[in-house]
Amino acid sequence: MRNQLFYANLVLAFYLSCHYALAQTENSILPLKAVNLGNWLVIEGWMKPSLFDGIANNDLLDGTQVQFMSTKLQKYLCAEHGGGSVVVANRTKALGWETFRLWRVNESTFNFRVSSKQFVRLANQDEGDKLLADSDSPSDMETFEIVRSDDDPNRVRIRAPNGLFLQAISETVVLANYEGSSWEDSDPSVFKMTVLTGTIIRGEYQITNGYGADKAPKIMKDHWNTYITEDDFKFMSENGLNGVRIPVGWWIAQDPTPPKPFVGGSLEILDNAFTWAEKYGIKVIVDLHAAPGSQNGRPHSASRDGYLEWGDSYISDTVAAIDFLAQRYAKNPSLVAIELMNEPQGVNLESLKSYYQAGYDAVRKHTSSAYVIMSNPLDRDSKVLLSFAGAFSGVVIDVHYYNLFSDRFSNMNVQQNIDFVKKQRASDLSSLTTSNGPLIFVGEWSGDWKVQRASKNDYQKFMQVQVDVYSRAKFGWAYWAYKCDSNMWNLKWMIENNYVSFN
């Protein structure tokens, strides 16, 4: 009985210490006025497209979707049934079964992934020279070379692992046994390749694998050392910002030798960010932006090919990354929070909750004062985590507000966008805010919108109404992003050009 009482007192003391530490943090620095340091330690190619300029065949990156039409038959290659069967050339129109996602091996050789998530392979010798889309993992027999014509890069021949070219002999017979070299339309080995440009993924996986092991380390380190510097932290502090949300990828926990194709060295850069943050009075949110397996299939999750793979089998690896980050930075005075995942979408809700529970426990092993941020699933109601998160101490729910990415904003004018923030966004925040529940954080928002030919004054009013409303979130807000080639996503540019002020 005495032991039970002793342990009960220990638990109570820990709970009270957590509550006190978090209360002290909340009173001193919240709500945050923060900015996301996007495209720094996790690449998002749309924010600086020139990063990809030096990659050979940079229209054929990992995850790019392509279709091949036989110039002789005028029919598309097709993985029958979407996979698990033969490859034929009998379709007049290209849809899902006729579309192949690239896994890049080098600048000219690739694996072809089909809609069943299987890979095309060259059949074994006793099966003939046909192609089968039934392999679960790529190796040498699943590796093909795309040979592009000098006169037209979308006129191609495909060399199989046996050194011979594919040829569409008939609509039902595609074999890897051709030795010719003609580029005529009548040549059965010639295909017109259609690159679905809207599917090109430009993320961390694509840039590191695209440049390859020889070039990627220099490209990435040059980017890390110049994109965000100490001067930027000084600028933030001088202009009324008191926090940064720093996206990181799961591979940072295995630095300096992360799995290929990722490049080591980003951990040292994150260490630098904490040093600068402490110097200039900036609080840091470490945000696991890219989870193993990809939590949403988007470029910012470092997805290889746009498929969402994260689920129960990835939970332990994801928790390990959180545990690593919490252990490393728990005692750093600049750490204010660790975000367990960014923008899950399409994941199983119960799996997500299981992970959030385990991730919370991992953080609490190392710190009672840092907040734990749980990102609301993009495809769920903003209240879906409220009751779940309410069972924890020091938890924050992250919601993202953009007047974009939905048809509802397509025809809104300036005033309608402003009114939407004043009414709908304010109402949503109010419904999420409770006296004893989790704090709310508007972890991403932007001054961009779908309004055409807006004036500077229009942008200023749109920015200000968002600042006014999102400042009601008790944990605060973080603008996306600090730097970007597109000015309205570039908070530094907007401050320098008097679109917004926080002083």
Side-chain angles (χ1 to χ4, degrees):
M1 183 68 180
R2 184 175 298 174
N3 285 340
Q4 289 178 328
L5 184 60
F6 173 74
Y7 286 116
N9 286 334
L10 273 182
V11 171
L12 178 61
F14 177 75
Y15 175 82
L16 291 174
S17 69
C18 286
H19 181 77
Y20 177 76
L22 290 164
Q24 291 298 104
T25 302
E26 183 174 346
N27 291 336
S28 60
I29 55 106
L30 299 183
L32 289 176
K33 294 186 292 182
V35 64
N36 286 278
L37 304 188
N39 194 45
W40 188 26
L41 304 185
V42 177
I43 293 296
E44 297 194 34
W46 70 274
M47 298 178 69
K48 191 178 180 182
S50 61
L51 285 171
F52 291 77
D53 287 350
I55 299 176
N57 282 336
N58 63 10
D59 60 335
L60 301 180
L61 301 172
D62 285 280
T64 299
Q65 297 178 35
V66 296
Q67 299 159 344
F68 300 102
M69 185 185 73
S70 165
T71 58
K72 179 180 179 180
L73 302 179
Q74 293 293 296
K75 299 290 177 66
Y76 286 94
L77 290 184
C78 169
E80 285 284 32
H81 310 297
S85 186
V86 296
V87 175
V88 295
N90 63 0
R91 298 302 203 276
T92 58
K93 186 177 182 181
L95 299 172
W97 293 2
E98 297 76 38
T99 301
F100 303 86
R101 297 187 189 215
L102 300 179
W103 277 28
R104 184 170 169 130
V105 178
N106 59 41
E107 65 183 65
S108 62
T109 59
F110 305 86
N111 311 127
F112 298 140
R113 201 177 195 192
V114 298
S115 57
S116 66
K117 297 187 178 181
Q118 294 171 296
F119 294 89
V120 175
R121 68 176 174 91
L122 177 64
N124 299 324
Q125 284 188 342
D126 57 353
E127 298 174 301
D129 296 316
K130 63 184 177 182
L131 301 181
L132 299 171
D134 63 355
S135 176
D136 292 326
S137 61
S139 60
D140 290 346
M141 296 304 285
E142 290 79 24
T143 301
F144 298 81
E145 180 184 4
I146 297 178
V147 180
R148 308 181 93 162
S149 166
D150 292 337
D151 297 326
D152 179 357
N154 290 322
R155 195 174 183 83
V156 304
R157 305 170 81 213
I158 303 170
R159 183 178 281 119
N162 61 4
L164 303 177
F165 288 106
L166 306 192
Q167 62 166 330
I169 296 173
S170 70
E171 292 188 4
T172 57
V173 180
V174 178
L175 300 178
N177 62 358
Y178 192 78
E179 298 185 69
S181 59
S182 167
W183 285 100
E184 300 298 322
D185 281 353
S186 58
D187 191 303
S189 72
V190 176
F191 297 87
K192 179 182 178 182
M193 178 176 67
T194 300
V195 178
L196 304 183
T197 55
T199 70
I200 295 177
I201 299 171
R202 293 185 177 91
E204 188 87 15
Y205 201 102
Q206 287 70 33
I207 195 170
T208 51
N209 201 38
Y211 278 109
D214 291 338
K215 295 181 180 179
K218 183 179 188 309
I219 295 291
M220 298 307 295
K221 288 172 184 177
D222 287 348
H223 172 70
W224 295 334
N225 287 323
T226 58
Y227 197 68
I228 302 290
T229 68
E230 180 178 344
D231 286 343
D232 292 307
F233 279 76
K234 183 173 184 287
F235 178 89
M236 295 174 216
S237 179
E238 291 173 345
N239 285 277
L241 297 171
N242 64 358
V244 289
R245 180 174 178 253
I246 304 181
V248 300
W250 60 269
W251 56 90
I252 199 171
Q254 299 179 46
D255 204 270
T257 55
K260 294 179 180 179
F262 300 111
V263 171
S266 61
L267 185 60
E268 179 183 353
I269 305 301
L270 184 57
D271 288 344
N272 291 343
F274 270 92
T275 300
W276 301 332
E278 184 174 1
K279 181 175 180 179
Y280 295 102
I282 301 286
K283 294 298 180 182
V284 176
I285 300 165
V286 180
D287 157 41
L288 190 65
H289 217 68
S294 173
Q295 72 277 15
N296 54 31
R298 298 185 178 190
H300 64 233
S301 70
S303 170
R304 181 168 192 174
D305 61 10
Y307 281 124
L308 184 162
E309 307 283 2
W310 189 91
D312 288 344
S313 63
Y314 283 97
I315 288 178
S316 62
D317 288 341
T318 317
V319 172
I322 294 297
D323 185 79
F324 172 86
L325 293 166
Q327 182 177 33
R328 188 175 187 88
Y329 298 111
K331 294 181 173 58
N332 192 296
S334 295
L335 179 70
V336 67
I338 293 177
E339 184 153 3
L340 301 181
M341 181 182 286
N342 174 68
E343 294 188 340
Q345 184 175 23
V347 304
N348 178 277
L349 184 60
E350 294 310 309
S351 297
L352 183 64
K353 288 180 178 179
S354 294
Y355 164 62
Y356 279 168
Q357 170 76 65
Y360 175 88
D361 292 341
V363 175
R364 286 289 170 257
K365 273 170 45 182
H366 305 288
T367 171
S368 61
S369 60
Y371 285 91
V372 179
I373 303 179
M374 300 177 179
S375 182
N376 198 75
L378 288 183
D379 53 346
R380 300 277 185 160
D381 183 89
S382 58
K383 302 181 190 66
V384 72
L385 293 177
L386 264 184
S387 60
F388 170 77
F392 302 94
S393 173
V395 163
V396 178
I397 292 178
D398 179 10
V399 294
H400 295 173
Y401 290 151
Y402 291 110
N403 280 28
L404 295 159
F405 315 125
S406 170
D407 290 340
R408 76 166 74 176
F409 301 112
S410 296
N411 297 312
M412 282 189 183
N413 60 30
V414 173
Q415 191 58 48
Q416 287 169 330
N417 273 277
I418 290 172
D419 289 343
F420 185 88
V421 174
K422 282 183 176 179
K423 296 174 183 176
Q424 277 85 350
R425 299 293 194 210
S427 175
D428 191 48
L429 273 179
S430 178
S431 68
L432 290 169
T433 304
T434 59
S435 59
N436 56 358
L439 301 183
I440 305 302
F441 176 45
V442 183
E444 292 184 21
W445 62 279
S446 167
D448 201 8
W449 51 8
K450 293 190 175 186
V451 176
Q452 301 297 313
R453 296 180 295 278
S455 68
K456 181 175 181 177
N457 183 249
D458 292 333
Y459 279 107
Q460 288 171 327
K461 290 191 291 184
F462 185 53
M463 287 290 291
Q464 191 57 54
V465 72
Q466 291 187 91
V467 171
D468 291 344
V469 171
Y470 303 158
S471 293
R472 300 173 196 171
K474 290 187 177 180
F475 193 78
W477 51 258
Y479 190 88
W480 189 279
Y482 179 71
K483 271 188 177 180
C484 183
D485 280 6
S486 177
N487 288 339
M488 296 307 146
W489 297 85
N490 184 330
L491 188 60
K492 183 182 182 186
W493 182 90
M494 297 188 83
I495 291 171
E496 290 175 330
N497 290 275
N498 300 314
Y499 278 74
V500 68
S501 175
F502 305 114
N503 282 326

